[in-house]
Amino acid sequence: RVARAAQSLSTVDHLRRKQYLARKTSLFGSKAVPVVAKICIPLALGGNALLFLTGHLAVGATVDVVLKAGDETYGMPAYFTFSIAQSVIDMYNSGAVFLAFVVAIFSGLWPYFKLASMLYLWFAPSYIVRPDNRGSIFAWLDTLGKWSMIDVFVMILSVVGFNVTLRPPAAFDFLWKNLFSVQLLVTPRWGLYANLLAQLVSQLSSHACLFYHRAHLSRLDELRKPVSYTHLRAHETDSY
C-alpha cells in the first residue's frame, strides 16, 4: 500500500508539473497548438501588416473620364487619383481636421495596433497575460477590428455611386442625338484590393488566434482532471 501511495503521489507531482507548465506557457509554446500554426500565424500577422502598408500608401482608385463626341471617343485615364494616406493629408489641409483624425486612427493606425497586440498575445506567457485576460482581449480585438473595414465599404460605394454619365437632354435628341457624352468612372486599383485582402487576412488570423486560445484552455481543463482523480486515489490508499 505504501508503494502504491508513493507511486500515486509521484504521478500527482508529474501531472501537477505538466499542469503548471501548461498554465505558464504562451500560445506559441502550448502543446495544444500545432507546429504549423505556431509558425504560420506570426508570419501571417507580419505579412498582413505589410499588406496593410501597401494598401494605405498605394493608389486606391482613379477617376477616369471618357468623352464621346459623335463617333469619336477620347479617354483621360487617372484624371484624379486618391489613396487613404493622400486623402487624410487633403482633408487636413482643407480644414476637415476632425474627419482626418478619424480616418487616420480607425483606418490607418488601428489595423497595425490590432496586429501588434495579437502578435504580443501570441508570444506573451501566461504569467504576463493571464489566459482569461488574453481571451477577452482577443475577443475585443476581433469585434472592434471589423470597424476598420468601413473604408473598404466607402470605397466600394464610391465606385458605384460616382459612375456618372452626362449627355444632352433626351427631349432634344432630334437636334443633337449622340452629339456628346461625358462619363466619369471610379476604377479600383491595387490599394483597394490590397486593403480588402489585408482585412480578410486580419479577420481570419483573429479567428485562428481565438480558436487556439480556446484549445489551450481545453488542454488545461484536461490536465486538471487527472490531477484531481490521482490525488483522490492517493489519499484513499494512504488512509487504508
Side-chain angles (χ1 to χ4, degrees), residues 42-133:
L43 292 178
L45 294 176
N48 200 12
L50 294 177
L51 199 58
F52 268 119
L53 185 62
T54 59
H56 290 158
L57 298 180
V59 174
T62 59
V63 178
D64 304 327
V65 180
V66 179
L67 174 62
K68 293 183 179 180
D71 296 331
E72 301 292 331
T73 301
Y74 305 94
M76 290 184 288
Y79 181 77
F80 180 77
T81 63
F82 54 92
S83 63
I84 293 180
Q86 188 61 41
S87 298
V88 172
I89 295 174
D90 293 340
M91 285 186 288
Y92 182 83
N93 293 333
S94 62
V97 179
F98 176 74
L99 185 59
F101 274 105
V102 169
V103 174
I105 291 173
F106 288 99
S107 297
L109 298 179
W110 169 252
Y112 303 104
F113 174 78
K114 176 189 174 184
L115 294 175
S117 300
M118 292 170 60
L119 192 62
Y120 173 76
L121 293 174
W122 187 259
F123 288 101
S126 297
Y127 59 83
I128 295 179
V129 182
R130 295 181 55 186
D132 294 340
N133 295 335

Coordinates of all heavy atoms in Angstrom, one line a residue, residues 42-133:
P42 N 2.3 33.9 -36.7 CA 3.1 35.1 -36.7 C 3.5 35.6 -38.0 O 3.6 36.8 -38.3 CB 4.3 34.6 -35.8 CG 3.8 33.5 -35.0 CD 2.8 32.8 -35.9
L43 N 3.8 34.7 -39.0 CA 4.2 35.1 -40.3 C 3.0 35.8 -41.0 O 3.2 36.8 -41.7 CB 4.7 33.9 -41.1 CG 6.0 33.3 -40.7 CD1 6.3 32.1 -41.6 CD2 7.1 34.3 -40.8
A44 N 1.8 35.2 -40.8 CA 0.6 35.8 -41.4 C 0.4 37.2 -40.8 O 0.0 38.2 -41.6 CB -0.6 35.0 -41.1
L45 N 0.6 37.4 -39.5 CA 0.4 38.7 -38.9 C 1.4 39.7 -39.4 O 1.1 40.9 -39.7 CB 0.5 38.6 -37.4 CG -0.6 37.8 -36.7 CD1 -0.3 37.7 -35.2 CD2 -2.0 38.4 -36.9
G46 N 2.7 39.3 -39.6 CA 3.7 40.2 -40.1 C 3.4 40.6 -41.6 O 3.5 41.7 -42.0
G47 N 3.1 39.5 -42.4 CA 2.8 39.8 -43.8 C 1.5 40.6 -43.9 O 1.4 41.4 -44.9
N48 N 0.6 40.5 -43.0 CA -0.6 41.3 -43.1 C -0.3 42.7 -42.8 O -1.0 43.6 -43.5 CB -1.6 40.8 -42.0 CG -3.0 41.2 -42.3 OD1 -3.4 41.7 -43.3 ND2 -3.9 41.0 -41.3
A49 N 0.6 43.0 -41.9 CA 1.0 44.4 -41.7 C 1.6 45.1 -42.9 O 1.3 46.2 -43.3 CB 1.9 44.5 -40.5
L50 N 2.4 44.3 -43.6 CA 3.0 44.8 -44.9 C 1.9 45.0 -46.0 O 1.9 46.0 -46.7 CB 4.0 43.8 -45.4 CG 5.3 43.7 -44.5 CD1 6.2 42.7 -45.1 CD2 6.0 45.0 -44.4
L51 N 0.9 44.1 -46.0 CA -0.2 44.2 -46.9 C -1.0 45.5 -46.6 O -1.4 46.2 -47.6 CB -1.0 43.0 -46.9 CG -2.0 42.7 -48.1 CD1 -1.2 42.6 -49.4 CD2 -2.7 41.4 -47.9
F52 N -1.3 45.7 -45.4 CA -2.0 47.0 -45.0 C -1.2 48.2 -45.4 O -1.7 49.2 -45.9 CB -2.2 47.0 -43.5 CG -3.5 46.4 -43.0 CD1 -3.6 45.3 -42.2 CD2 -4.7 47.0 -43.5 CE1 -4.8 44.8 -41.8 CE2 -5.9 46.5 -43.1 CZ -6.0 45.4 -42.2
L53 N 0.2 48.2 -45.2 CA 1.0 49.3 -45.6 C 0.9 49.6 -47.0 O 0.8 50.8 -47.4 CB 2.4 49.0 -45.1 CG 3.4 50.2 -45.3 CD1 3.0 51.4 -44.4 CD2 4.8 49.7 -44.9
T54 N 1.0 48.6 -47.9 CA 0.9 48.8 -49.3 C -0.5 49.3 -49.7 O -0.6 50.2 -50.6 CB 1.3 47.5 -50.1 OG1 0.3 46.5 -49.7 CG2 2.7 47.1 -49.8
G55 N -1.5 48.8 -49.0 CA -2.8 49.2 -49.3 C -3.1 50.7 -48.9 O -3.8 51.4 -49.6
H56 N -2.4 51.2 -47.9 CA -2.6 52.5 -47.4 C -1.8 53.5 -48.2 O -2.2 54.7 -48.4 CB -2.3 52.7 -45.9 CG -3.2 52.0 -45.0 ND1 -2.9 51.5 -43.8 CD2 -4.5 51.6 -45.2 CE1 -3.9 51.0 -43.2 NE2 -4.9 51.0 -44.1
L57 N -0.7 53.1 -48.7 CA 0.2 54.0 -49.5 C 0.0 54.0 -51.0 O 0.2 55.0 -51.6 CB 1.7 53.7 -49.2 CG 2.1 53.8 -47.7 CD1 3.6 53.5 -47.6 CD2 1.9 55.2 -47.2
A58 N -0.5 52.9 -51.5 CA -0.7 52.8 -52.9 C -2.0 53.5 -53.3 O -2.8 53.8 -52.5 CB -0.7 51.3 -53.4
V59 N -2.1 53.7 -54.6 CA -3.3 54.3 -55.2 C -4.5 53.4 -55.0 O -4.5 52.3 -55.4 CB -3.1 54.7 -56.6 CG1 -4.4 55.2 -57.2 CG2 -2.0 55.7 -56.8
G60 N -5.6 53.9 -54.3 CA -6.7 53.1 -54.0 C -7.7 53.0 -55.2 O -8.3 52.0 -55.5
A61 N -7.8 54.1 -55.9 CA -8.8 54.2 -57.0 C -8.4 55.4 -57.9 O -7.7 56.3 -57.4 CB -10.2 54.3 -56.6
T62 N -8.9 55.4 -59.1 CA -8.6 56.5 -60.0 C -10.0 57.0 -60.6 O -10.9 56.1 -60.8 CB -7.7 56.2 -61.1 OG1 -8.2 55.1 -61.9 CG2 -6.3 55.8 -60.6
V63 N -10.1 58.2 -60.9 CA -11.3 58.8 -61.6 C -10.9 58.9 -63.0 O -10.0 59.7 -63.4 CB -11.7 60.1 -61.0 CG1 -12.9 60.7 -61.7 CG2 -12.1 60.0 -59.5
D64 N -11.5 58.1 -63.9 CA -11.3 58.1 -65.3 C -12.4 58.9 -66.0 O -13.6 58.7 -65.7 CB -11.1 56.7 -65.9 CG -10.1 55.9 -65.1 OD1 -9.1 56.5 -64.7 OD2 -10.2 54.7 -65.0
V65 N -12.1 59.6 -67.0 CA -13.0 60.4 -67.8 C -13.1 59.9 -69.2 O -12.0 59.8 -69.9 CB -12.7 61.9 -67.8 CG1 -13.8 62.7 -68.6 CG2 -12.7 62.4 -66.3
V66 N -14.2 59.6 -69.7 CA -14.4 59.1 -71.1 C -15.3 60.1 -71.8 O -16.5 60.3 -71.4 CB -15.0 57.7 -71.2 CG1 -15.2 57.3 -72.6 CG2 -14.1 56.7 -70.4
L67 N -14.8 60.8 -72.8 CA -15.6 61.8 -73.6 C -15.9 61.3 -75.0 O -15.0 60.8 -75.7 CB -14.8 63.1 -73.7 CG -15.3 64.2 -74.6 CD1 -16.7 64.7 -74.0 CD2 -14.4 65.4 -74.7
K68 N -17.2 61.3 -75.3 CA -17.6 60.8 -76.6 C -18.2 62.0 -77.4 O -19.1 62.7 -76.9 CB -18.6 59.7 -76.5 CG -18.1 58.4 -76.0 CD -19.2 57.4 -75.9 CE -18.6 56.0 -75.4 NZ -19.6 55.0 -75.4
A69 N -17.7 62.3 -78.5 CA -18.2 63.4 -79.4 C -18.5 62.8 -80.8 O -17.5 62.5 -81.5 CB -17.2 64.5 -79.5
G70 N -19.7 62.6 -81.0 CA -20.1 61.9 -82.3 C -19.6 60.5 -82.3 O -20.0 59.7 -81.4
D71 N -18.8 60.2 -83.3 CA -18.3 58.8 -83.4 C -16.9 58.7 -82.7 O -16.3 57.6 -82.8 CB -18.2 58.4 -84.8 CG -19.6 58.3 -85.4 OD1 -20.6 58.0 -84.7 OD2 -19.7 58.5 -86.7
E72 N -16.4 59.8 -82.2 CA -15.0 59.8 -81.6 C -15.1 59.6 -80.1 O -16.0 60.1 -79.5 CB -14.3 61.1 -82.0 CG -14.2 61.4 -83.5 CD -13.2 60.4 -84.1 OE1 -12.3 59.9 -83.4 OE2 -13.4 60.1 -85.3
T73 N -14.1 58.9 -79.6 CA -14.0 58.6 -78.2 C -12.7 59.1 -77.7 O -11.6 58.7 -78.2 CB -14.3 57.2 -77.8 OG1 -15.5 56.8 -78.3 CG2 -14.2 56.9 -76.3
Y74 N -12.7 59.9 -76.6 CA -11.4 60.4 -76.0 C -11.4 60.0 -74.5 O -12.4 60.2 -73.8 CB -11.3 61.9 -76.1 CG -11.5 62.4 -77.6 CD1 -12.7 62.8 -78.0 CD2 -10.4 62.5 -78.4 CE1 -12.9 63.3 -79.3 CE2 -10.5 62.9 -79.7 CZ -11.8 63.4 -80.1 OH -11.9 63.8 -81.4
G75 N -10.3 59.4 -74.1 CA -10.2 59.0 -72.7 C -9.1 59.7 -72.0 O -8.1 60.1 -72.5
M76 N -9.4 60.0 -70.7 CA -8.5 60.6 -69.8 C -8.3 59.7 -68.6 O -9.0 59.9 -67.6 CB -8.9 62.0 -69.4 CG -8.9 63.1 -70.6 SD -9.3 64.7 -70.0 CE -11.1 64.5 -69.8
P77 N -7.5 58.7 -68.7 CA -7.4 57.8 -67.6 C -6.6 58.5 -66.4 O -5.8 59.3 -66.6 CB -6.6 56.6 -68.2 CG -5.8 57.2 -69.3 CD -6.7 58.3 -69.8
A78 N -7.0 58.1 -65.2 CA -6.4 58.5 -64.0 C -6.4 60.1 -64.0 O -5.4 60.7 -63.6 CB -5.0 58.0 -63.9
Y79 N -7.6 60.7 -64.3 CA -7.7 62.1 -64.2 C -7.5 62.6 -62.8 O -7.0 63.7 -62.5 CB -9.1 62.5 -64.7 CG -9.3 64.0 -64.7 CD1 -8.7 64.8 -65.7 CD2 -10.1 64.6 -63.7 CE1 -8.9 66.2 -65.7 CE2 -10.3 66.0 -63.7 CZ -9.7 66.8 -64.7 OH -9.9 68.1 -64.7
F80 N -7.9 61.8 -61.8 CA -7.7 62.1 -60.4 C -7.5 60.8 -59.7 O -8.2 59.8 -59.9 CB -8.9 62.8 -59.8 CG -8.8 63.1 -58.4 CD1 -8.0 64.2 -58.0 CD2 -9.4 62.4 -57.4 CE1 -7.9 64.5 -56.6 CE2 -9.3 62.6 -56.1 CZ -8.5 63.7 -55.7
T81 N -6.5 60.8 -58.8 CA -6.1 59.6 -58.1 C -6.2 59.9 -56.6 O -6.0 61.0 -56.2 CB -4.7 59.1 -58.4 OG1 -3.8 60.1 -58.0 CG2 -4.6 58.8 -59.9
F82 N -6.6 58.9 -55.8 CA -6.6 59.1 -54.4 C -6.3 57.8 -53.6 O -6.6 56.7 -54.1 CB -7.9 59.6 -53.9 CG -9.1 58.8 -54.3 CD1 -9.6 57.9 -53.5 CD2 -9.8 59.1 -55.5 CE1 -10.8 57.1 -53.9 CE2 -10.9 58.4 -55.9 CZ -11.4 57.4 -55.1
S83 N -5.6 57.9 -52.5 CA -5.3 56.8 -51.6 C -5.7 57.3 -50.2 O -6.1 58.4 -50.0 CB -3.8 56.5 -51.6 OG -3.1 57.6 -51.2
I84 N -5.6 56.3 -49.2 CA -6.0 56.6 -47.9 C -5.1 57.7 -47.3 O -5.5 58.7 -46.7 CB -6.0 55.4 -47.0 CG1 -7.2 54.5 -47.5 CG2 -6.2 55.7 -45.5 CD1 -7.3 53.2 -46.7
A85 N -3.8 57.5 -47.5 CA -2.8 58.4 -47.0 C -3.0 59.8 -47.6 O -3.0 60.8 -46.9 CB -1.4 57.9 -47.2
Q86 N -3.1 59.9 -48.9 CA -3.3 61.2 -49.6 C -4.7 61.8 -49.2 O -4.7 63.0 -49.0 CB -3.2 61.0 -51.1 CG -3.2 62.3 -51.8 CD -2.1 63.2 -51.5 OE1 -0.9 62.7 -51.4 NE2 -2.3 64.5 -51.4
S87 N -5.7 61.0 -49.0 CA -7.0 61.5 -48.6 C -6.9 62.2 -47.2 O -7.5 63.2 -46.9 CB -8.0 60.4 -48.6 OG -8.2 59.9 -49.8
V88 N -6.2 61.6 -46.2 CA -6.0 62.1 -44.9 C -5.3 63.5 -45.0 O -5.7 64.5 -44.4 CB -5.3 61.2 -44.0 CG1 -4.9 61.8 -42.7 CG2 -6.1 59.9 -43.7
I89 N -4.2 63.5 -45.8 CA -3.5 64.8 -46.0 C -4.4 65.9 -46.6 O -4.4 67.1 -46.2 CB -2.2 64.6 -46.9 CG1 -1.3 63.6 -46.1 CG2 -1.5 65.9 -47.2 CD1 -0.1 63.2 -46.9
D90 N -5.2 65.5 -47.6 CA -6.0 66.5 -48.3 C -7.1 67.0 -47.3 O -7.4 68.2 -47.3 CB -6.7 65.9 -49.5 CG -5.6 65.6 -50.6 OD1 -4.6 66.2 -50.6 OD2 -5.9 64.8 -51.5
M91 N -7.7 66.1 -46.5 CA -8.7 66.5 -45.6 C -8.1 67.5 -44.5 O -8.7 68.4 -44.1 CB -9.4 65.3 -44.9 CG -10.3 64.6 -45.8 SD -11.2 63.2 -44.9 CE -9.9 62.0 -44.8
Y92 N -6.9 67.2 -44.1 CA -6.3 68.0 -43.0 C -6.0 69.4 -43.6 O -6.2 70.4 -43.0 CB -5.0 67.3 -42.5 CG -4.3 68.1 -41.4 CD1 -4.7 68.0 -40.1 CD2 -3.2 68.9 -41.8 CE1 -4.1 68.7 -39.1 CE2 -2.6 69.7 -40.8 CZ -3.0 69.5 -39.4 OH -2.4 70.2 -38.5
N93 N -5.4 69.4 -44.8 CA -5.1 70.7 -45.4 C -6.3 71.5 -45.8 O -6.2 72.8 -45.8 CB -4.3 70.5 -46.7 CG -2.9 69.9 -46.4 OD1 -2.3 70.1 -45.3 ND2 -2.3 69.2 -47.4
S94 N -7.4 70.9 -46.1 CA -8.7 71.6 -46.4 C -9.4 72.1 -45.2 O -10.5 72.7 -45.3 CB -9.5 70.8 -47.3 OG -9.9 69.6 -46.6
G95 N -9.0 71.7 -44.0 CA -9.7 72.2 -42.8 C -10.5 71.1 -42.1 O -11.0 71.4 -41.0
A96 N -10.7 69.9 -42.7 CA -11.5 68.9 -42.1 C -10.6 68.1 -41.1 O -10.3 66.9 -41.4 CB -12.1 68.0 -43.1
V97 N -10.2 68.7 -40.1 CA -9.2 68.1 -39.2 C -9.8 66.9 -38.4 O -9.1 65.9 -38.3 CB -8.6 69.2 -38.2 CG1 -7.6 68.6 -37.2 CG2 -8.0 70.4 -38.9
F98 N -11.0 67.1 -37.9 CA -11.6 66.0 -37.2 C -11.8 64.8 -38.0 O -11.5 63.7 -37.6 CB -13.0 66.5 -36.6 CG -13.7 65.4 -35.9 CD1 -13.3 64.9 -34.6 CD2 -14.8 64.7 -36.5 CE1 -14.0 63.9 -33.9 CE2 -15.5 63.7 -35.8 CZ -15.1 63.3 -34.5
L99 N -12.3 65.0 -39.2 CA -12.5 63.8 -40.1 C -11.2 63.2 -40.5 O -11.1 62.0 -40.6 CB -13.2 64.3 -41.4 CG -13.6 63.2 -42.4 CD1 -14.5 62.1 -41.7 CD2 -14.3 63.8 -43.6
A100 N -10.1 64.0 -40.7 CA -8.8 63.5 -41.0 C -8.3 62.6 -39.9 O -7.7 61.5 -40.1 CB -7.8 64.6 -41.3
F101 N -8.5 63.0 -38.6 CA -8.0 62.2 -37.5 C -8.8 60.9 -37.3 O -8.3 59.9 -37.0 CB -8.1 63.1 -36.2 CG -6.9 63.9 -35.9 CD1 -7.0 65.3 -36.1 CD2 -5.7 63.3 -35.5 CE1 -5.8 66.1 -35.9 CE2 -4.6 64.1 -35.3 CZ -4.6 65.5 -35.5
V102 N -10.1 61.0 -37.6 CA -11.0 59.8 -37.5 C -10.5 58.8 -38.5 O -10.4 57.6 -38.2 CB -12.5 60.2 -37.7 CG1 -13.3 58.9 -37.9 CG2 -13.0 61.0 -36.5
V103 N -10.3 59.2 -39.8 CA -9.9 58.3 -40.8 C -8.5 57.7 -40.5 O -8.2 56.5 -40.7 CB -9.9 58.9 -42.2 CG1 -9.4 58.0 -43.3 CG2 -11.4 59.3 -42.5
A104 N -7.6 58.6 -40.0 CA -6.2 58.2 -39.7 C -6.2 57.2 -38.6 O -5.4 56.2 -38.6 CB -5.4 59.4 -39.4
I105 N -7.0 57.4 -37.6 CA -7.0 56.5 -36.4 C -7.6 55.1 -36.8 O -7.0 54.1 -36.6 CB -7.7 57.1 -35.2 CG1 -6.8 58.3 -34.7 CG2 -7.9 56.1 -34.1 CD1 -7.5 59.1 -33.6
F106 N -8.9 55.1 -37.3 CA -9.6 53.9 -37.4 C -9.2 53.1 -38.7 O -9.3 51.9 -38.7 CB -11.1 54.2 -37.5 CG -11.7 54.6 -36.1 CD1 -11.9 55.9 -35.8 CD2 -12.0 53.6 -35.2 CE1 -12.4 56.3 -34.6 CE2 -12.5 54.0 -34.0 CZ -12.7 55.3 -33.7
S107 N -8.8 53.8 -39.7 CA -8.4 53.2 -41.0 C -6.9 53.0 -41.1 O -6.5 52.1 -41.8 CB -9.0 53.9 -42.2 OG -10.4 53.9 -42.2
G108 N -6.2 53.9 -40.4 CA -4.7 53.9 -40.6 C -4.0 53.2 -39.4 O -3.3 52.2 -39.6
L109 N -4.2 53.7 -38.2 CA -3.4 53.2 -37.1 C -4.0 51.9 -36.5 O -3.3 51.1 -36.0 CB -3.3 54.3 -36.0 CG -2.6 55.6 -36.4 CD1 -2.6 56.6 -35.3 CD2 -1.2 55.3 -36.8
W110 N -5.4 51.8 -36.4 CA -6.0 50.7 -35.7 C -5.6 49.3 -36.3 O -5.3 48.4 -35.5 CB -7.5 50.9 -35.7 CG -8.2 49.6 -35.3 CD1 -8.9 48.8 -36.0 CD2 -8.2 49.1 -33.9 NE1 -9.4 47.7 -35.3 CE2 -9.0 47.9 -34.0 CE3 -7.7 49.6 -32.7 CZ2 -9.3 47.2 -32.8 CZ3 -7.9 48.8 -31.6 CH2 -8.7 47.6 -31.7
P111 N -5.5 49.1 -37.6 CA -5.1 47.8 -38.1 C -3.8 47.4 -37.6 O -3.5 46.2 -37.2 CB -5.2 47.9 -39.6 CG -6.1 49.0 -39.8 CD -5.9 50.0 -38.7
Y112 N -2.8 48.3 -37.5 CA -1.5 48.0 -37.0 C -1.4 47.7 -35.5 O -0.7 46.8 -35.1 CB -0.5 49.1 -37.4 CG -0.5 49.4 -38.9 CD1 -1.1 50.5 -39.4 CD2 0.2 48.6 -39.8 CE1 -1.1 50.8 -40.7 CE2 0.2 48.9 -41.1 CZ -0.4 50.0 -41.6 OH -0.4 50.3 -42.9
F113 N -2.2 48.5 -34.8 CA -2.3 48.2 -33.4 C -2.9 46.9 -33.1 O -2.5 46.1 -32.2 CB -3.2 49.3 -32.7 CG -3.4 49.1 -31.2 CD1 -2.5 49.4 -30.3 CD2 -4.7 48.6 -30.8 CE1 -2.7 49.2 -28.9 CE2 -4.9 48.4 -29.5 CZ -3.9 48.7 -28.5
K114 N -3.9 46.5 -33.8 CA -4.6 45.2 -33.7 C -3.6 44.1 -33.9 O -3.5 43.1 -33.2 CB -5.8 45.1 -34.6 CG -6.5 43.7 -34.5 CD -7.5 43.6 -35.6 CE -8.0 42.1 -35.6 NZ -9.0 41.9 -36.7
L115 N -2.9 44.2 -35.0 CA -1.9 43.1 -35.4 C -0.8 43.0 -34.4 O -0.3 41.9 -34.0 CB -1.3 43.4 -36.8 CG -2.3 43.3 -38.0 CD1 -1.7 43.7 -39.3 CD2 -2.9 41.9 -38.1
A116 N -0.3 44.2 -33.9 CA 0.8 44.2 -32.9 C 0.3 43.5 -31.6 O 1.1 42.8 -31.0 CB 1.3 45.6 -32.7
S117 N -0.9 43.8 -31.2 CA -1.5 43.3 -30.0 C -1.6 41.8 -30.1 O -1.3 41.0 -29.2 CB -2.8 43.9 -29.7 OG -2.7 45.3 -29.5
M118 N -2.1 41.3 -31.3 CA -2.3 39.9 -31.5 C -0.9 39.1 -31.5 O -0.8 38.0 -30.9 CB -3.0 39.6 -32.8 CG -4.5 40.0 -32.8 SD -5.2 40.0 -34.4 CE -5.1 38.3 -34.8
L119 N 0.1 39.8 -32.1 CA 1.4 39.2 -32.1 C 2.0 39.1 -30.7 O 2.6 38.1 -30.3 CB 2.3 39.9 -33.0 CG 3.6 39.3 -33.4 CD1 3.4 38.0 -34.1 CD2 4.5 40.3 -34.2
Y120 N 1.8 40.1 -29.9 CA 2.2 40.1 -28.5 C 1.5 39.1 -27.7 O 2.2 38.3 -26.9 CB 2.0 41.5 -27.9 CG 2.4 41.6 -26.4 CD1 3.7 41.6 -26.0 CD2 1.3 41.6 -25.5 CE1 4.0 41.7 -24.6 CE2 1.6 41.7 -24.1 CZ 3.0 41.7 -23.7 OH 3.2 41.8 -22.4
L121 N 0.2 39.0 -27.8 CA -0.5 38.0 -27.0 C -0.2 36.5 -27.5 O -0.3 35.6 -26.7 CB -2.0 38.2 -27.2 CG -2.6 39.5 -26.7 CD1 -4.1 39.6 -27.0 CD2 -2.5 39.5 -25.1
W122 N 0.3 36.4 -28.7 CA 0.7 35.0 -29.2 C 1.9 34.6 -28.5 O 2.1 33.4 -28.2 CB 0.8 35.1 -30.7 CG 1.1 33.7 -31.3 CD1 2.3 33.2 -31.7 CD2 0.1 32.7 -31.6 NE1 2.1 32.0 -32.2 CE2 0.8 31.6 -32.1 CE3 -1.3 32.6 -31.4 CZ2 0.1 30.5 -32.5 CZ3 -1.9 31.5 -31.8 CH2 -1.2 30.4 -32.4
F123 N 2.8 35.5 -28.2 CA 4.1 35.1 -27.6 C 4.2 35.4 -26.1 O 5.1 34.9 -25.4 CB 5.3 35.9 -28.3 CG 5.6 35.4 -29.7 CD1 5.1 36.1 -30.8 CD2 6.3 34.2 -29.9 CE1 5.4 35.6 -32.1 CE2 6.6 33.8 -31.2 CZ 6.1 34.5 -32.2
A124 N 3.3 36.2 -25.6 CA 3.3 36.5 -24.1 C 3.0 35.3 -23.3 O 1.9 34.7 -23.5 CB 2.4 37.7 -23.8
P125 N 3.8 34.9 -22.3 CA 3.5 33.8 -21.4 C 2.3 34.2 -20.5 O 2.0 35.3 -20.3 CB 4.8 33.6 -20.6 CG 5.5 34.9 -20.7 CD 5.1 35.5 -22.0
S126 N 1.8 33.2 -19.9 CA 0.6 33.4 -19.0 C 0.9 34.1 -17.7 O -0.1 34.6 -17.1 CB -0.1 32.0 -18.7 OG -0.5 31.4 -19.9
Y127 N 2.1 34.1 -17.3 CA 2.4 34.9 -16.1 C 2.5 36.4 -16.3 O 2.5 37.2 -15.4 CB 3.7 34.4 -15.4 CG 4.9 34.4 -16.2 CD1 5.6 35.6 -16.3 CD2 5.4 33.3 -16.9 CE1 6.8 35.7 -17.1 CE2 6.5 33.4 -17.6 CZ 7.2 34.6 -17.7 OH 8.4 34.6 -18.5
I128 N 2.5 36.8 -17.6 CA 2.4 38.2 -18.0 C 1.0 38.6 -18.4 O 0.5 39.6 -17.9 CB 3.4 38.5 -19.2 CG1 4.8 38.3 -18.7 CG2 3.2 39.9 -19.7 CD1 5.9 38.5 -19.8
V129 N 0.4 37.8 -19.2 CA -1.0 38.0 -19.5 C -1.8 36.7 -19.2 O -1.6 35.6 -19.7 CB -1.2 38.3 -21.1 CG1 -2.7 38.5 -21.4 CG2 -0.3 39.4 -21.5
R130 N -2.7 36.8 -18.2 CA -3.5 35.7 -17.8 C -4.4 35.2 -18.9 O -4.8 35.9 -19.8 CB -4.4 36.1 -16.6 CG -3.6 36.5 -15.3 CD -4.6 36.8 -14.2 NE -5.5 35.7 -14.0 CZ -6.6 35.8 -13.2 NH1 -6.8 36.9 -12.5 NH2 -7.4 34.8 -13.0
P131 N -4.6 33.9 -18.9 CA -5.4 33.3 -20.0 C -6.8 33.9 -20.2 O -7.3 34.1 -21.3 CB -5.5 31.8 -19.7 CG -4.3 31.5 -18.9 CD -4.0 32.8 -18.1
D132 N -7.4 34.2 -19.0 CA -8.8 34.9 -19.1 C -8.7 36.2 -19.8 O -9.5 36.6 -20.6 CB -9.4 35.0 -17.7 CG -9.7 33.6 -17.1 OD1 -9.8 32.6 -17.9 OD2 -9.8 33.5 -15.9
N133 N -7.7 37.0 -19.4 CA -7.5 38.3 -20.0 C -7.1 38.2 -21.4 O -7.6 39.0 -22.3 CB -6.4 39.1 -19.2 CG -6.8 39.4 -17.8 OD1 -8.0 39.5 -17.5 ND2 -5.8 39.6 -16.9

